[in-house]
Amino acid sequence: PNYVRIFDTTLRDGEQSPGATMTTKQKLDIARQLAKLGVDIIEAGFPASSEADLEAVKLIAKEVGNVSPEGADGHVPVICGLSRCNKRDIDKAWEAVKYAKKPRIHTFIATSEIHLKHKLKKTKEQVLETARSMVAYARSLGCPDVEFSPEDAGRFHSSLISN
């Protein structure tokens, strides 16, 4: 209960900055360094975004997600792949992370009123059902660790409170 887990998104979110794209080798090197630092969870990428990202996450899962770095006292990080709440993305994430000792699929869907209305064109109930069914789908593939994030949740919860 007193342990803080470090979840690092450098390899995925960090690449979204202009000019910050990394080669597979650079990603692998960074993942190795994060493991040496004792990072608990490495979000290695967004496998559905490209074949290159799928292969990079797979390589990290195989090479970093199975070996305790020197001086890490047996610590092996969770290797995580990001996916939208749809079967194609979840399949790609599982294809990439399943080689790790501790794989994780991190799936998300937009939840704020503005996103529901203009981006997804769905009701709250439809989005909640999508979230439930896609988390269950990810688990059904054999992934023991599935994380769900409600994108833009602050506005979602605000709209629930005001209703």
Side-chain angles (χ1 to χ4, degrees):
N2 295 326
Y3 184 81
V4 174
R5 285 173 181 73
I6 305 298
F7 185 113
D8 187 276
T9 63
T10 302
L11 298 174
R12 191 220 25 101
D13 201 33
E15 241 193 345
Q16 292 183 0
S17 299
T21 56
M22 295 175 256
T23 66
T24 297
K25 183 191 178 316
Q26 289 169 323
K27 287 182 176 191
L28 183 59
D29 289 344
I30 290 170
R32 285 184 175 132
Q33 292 303 315
L34 291 169
K36 280 184 185 176
L37 288 169
V39 167
D40 300 290
I41 303 122
I42 299 171
E43 191 166 75
F46 190 177
S49 67
S50 69
E51 195 62 32
D53 214 36
L54 172 81
E55 292 306 316
V57 175
K58 192 182 295 186
L59 184 63
I60 291 166
K62 289 177 179 178
E63 296 200 14
V64 179
N66 285 292
V67 181
S68 175
E70 194 174 311
D73 297 330
H75 169 75
V76 176
V78 170
I79 304 299
C80 178
L82 185 69
S83 72
R84 292 167 292 204
C85 265
N86 66 61
K87 287 184 176 183
R88 180 190 169 278
D89 278 25
I90 291 168
D91 287 342
K92 293 284 187 182
W94 180 238
E95 181 184 340
V97 300
K98 68 183 177 185
Y99 300 98
K101 184 176 180 180
K102 297 187 253 178
R104 175 183 288 181
I105 295 172
H106 178 192
T107 190
F108 71 95
I109 192 167
T111 57
S112 67
E113 196 70 47
I114 195 164
H115 279 123
L116 296 177
K117 184 176 180 182
H118 299 289
K119 179 179 175 182
L120 299 176
K121 298 176 179 31
K122 292 184 177 190
T123 66
K124 288 177 192 174
E125 293 74 22
Q126 289 171 313
V127 168
L128 289 170
E129 179 50 36
T130 297
R132 277 190 213 93
S133 66
M134 289 300 101
V135 167
Y137 177 71
R139 295 273 297 151
S140 78
L141 296 175
C143 187
D145 184 356
V146 178
E147 175 179 1
F148 173 75
S149 287
E151 181 186 8
D152 203 26
R155 285 192 270 199
F156 177 73
H157 294 298
S158 299
S159 66
L160 286 177
I161 293 167
S162 65
N163 287 341

